[in-house]
Amino acid sequence: MYKVFIAEDDDGIANAIIKRLSEWEFEVRRADDYKNVLEEFKTFEPHIVLLDISLPFYNGFHWCGEIRKESKCPIMFISSAADNMNIVTAMTMGADDFIAKPFDLGVLVAKIQALLRRSYDFAANIGKIEHKGAVLNTADATLTYNGERVELTKNEYRILETLLESKGKVVTRETLMNKLWETDSYVDENTLSVNVNRLRKKLDNAGLVDFIATRVGIGYLIN
């Protein structure tokens, strides 16, 4: 069952959406505390988010950016402020789709289903890297092991993804730094070492002891 998280402060619209999505057997939760939308999102762990632009305290653009720091979960904006500037801003902040109010609920369901197919059904075939029981899901940048989810930072995810894609082969430190450079954040030798050590500690705590091996003076590998 797919989980849908809604940040919409109009009771009439929110209740109508919840009712229709429940009929389609989605598990739906609506934001309760508009000062802590991100925390509610992280607790619920939805497969898709519906965000209004105009919300109490912080607008939808703010929360879209905050969610994007944590997750690649698909985000759809639902708003009456559907001018070109808002649509462009939404996409720039990391949204995947935008539907203008008032909208037909049937169209909304169809858009949600299409976005879920693109994000998860396709990813189910090619978006997972598995090794020794650990599963790295490239669709939402998460790692699971023994049914437990291991939270990764963006850099930790990129390091692990790169090593898993080349498992059995040594990946040089230069290659990893170039991979992290794609995030537009400067990475030097010391920063790479810190990120690898933090990743190792998380893997050890999850039970994946010695998952990453070091080749002194060269780089790292996953055997």
Side-chain angles (χ1 to χ4, degrees):
M1 179 183 292
Y2 284 113
K3 298 194 291 185
V4 183
F5 181 70
I6 303 174
E8 165 62 71
D9 62 327
D10 185 302
D11 291 339
I13 294 173
N15 290 335
I17 293 173
I18 292 169
K19 183 175 184 295
R20 178 58 64 91
L21 293 182
S22 297
E23 292 171 355
W24 282 86
E25 297 186 349
F26 288 102
E27 182 181 349
V28 189
R29 179 176 297 180
R30 181 186 176 191
D32 292 319
D33 182 356
Y34 286 98
K35 288 184 179 179
N36 294 293
V37 170
L38 181 62
E39 292 307 313
E40 292 189 16
F41 163 84
K42 290 163 66 175
T43 300
F44 187 46
E45 296 186 346
H47 296 95
I48 188 169
V49 176
L50 303 184
L51 268 180
D52 191 8
I53 293 176
S54 179
L55 294 171
F57 303 108
Y58 304 97
N59 65 26
F61 297 140
H62 169 81
W63 292 120
C64 182
E66 291 301 299
I67 290 170
R68 273 292 162 264
K69 293 176 185 177
E70 303 282 341
S71 172
K72 292 186 178 181
C73 169
I75 298 171
M76 182 188 299
F77 271 88
I78 50 173
S79 177
S80 55
D83 57 88
N84 289 341
M85 181 59 71
N86 279 327
I87 294 173
V88 170
T89 301
M91 297 305 175
T92 302
M93 294 301 295
D96 300 278
D97 205 348
F98 195 112
I99 185 169
K101 299 175 185 176
F103 48 76
D104 181 88
L105 288 170
V107 173
L108 176 65
V109 171
K111 276 180 163 285
I112 289 172
Q113 290 173 328
L115 190 50
L116 288 170
R117 281 196 302 272
R118 292 198 300 270
S119 301
Y120 298 105
D121 289 355
F122 181 67
N125 295 322
I126 65 170
K128 292 182 179 179
I129 307 174
E130 187 169 359
H131 185 61
K132 295 182 178 179
V135 179
L136 186 69
N137 190 330
T138 60
D140 60 2
T142 60
L143 177 73
T144 56
Y145 180 66
N146 284 341
E148 296 295 322
R149 178 169 165 161
V150 181
E151 296 293 339
L152 303 174
T153 65
K154 185 185 294 184
N155 282 349
E156 291 166 354
Y157 167 76
R158 284 179 177 268
I159 291 168
L160 191 56
E161 179 187 38
T162 304
L163 293 175
L164 283 169
E165 286 175 345
S166 302
K167 58 189 175 216
K169 301 177 183 178
V170 176
V171 179
T172 65
R173 292 176 62 85
E174 182 181 11
T175 296
L176 287 171
M177 286 189 288
N178 288 337
K179 185 73 171 179
L180 299 187
W181 183 265
E182 294 174 9
T183 65
D184 297 326
S185 59
Y186 177 70
V187 177
D188 60 16
E189 290 272 350
N190 185 59
T191 303
L192 176 62
S193 297
V194 170
N195 276 275
V196 171
N197 288 335
R198 286 177 178 168
L199 174 59
R200 276 180 164 150
K201 190 170 294 185
K202 288 183 179 181
L203 295 174
D204 287 348
N205 290 339
L208 292 164
V209 180
D210 297 329
F211 197 72
I212 298 174
T214 300
R215 291 295 178 265
V216 179
I218 303 174
Y220 306 93
L221 82 157
I222 292 175
N223 289 312

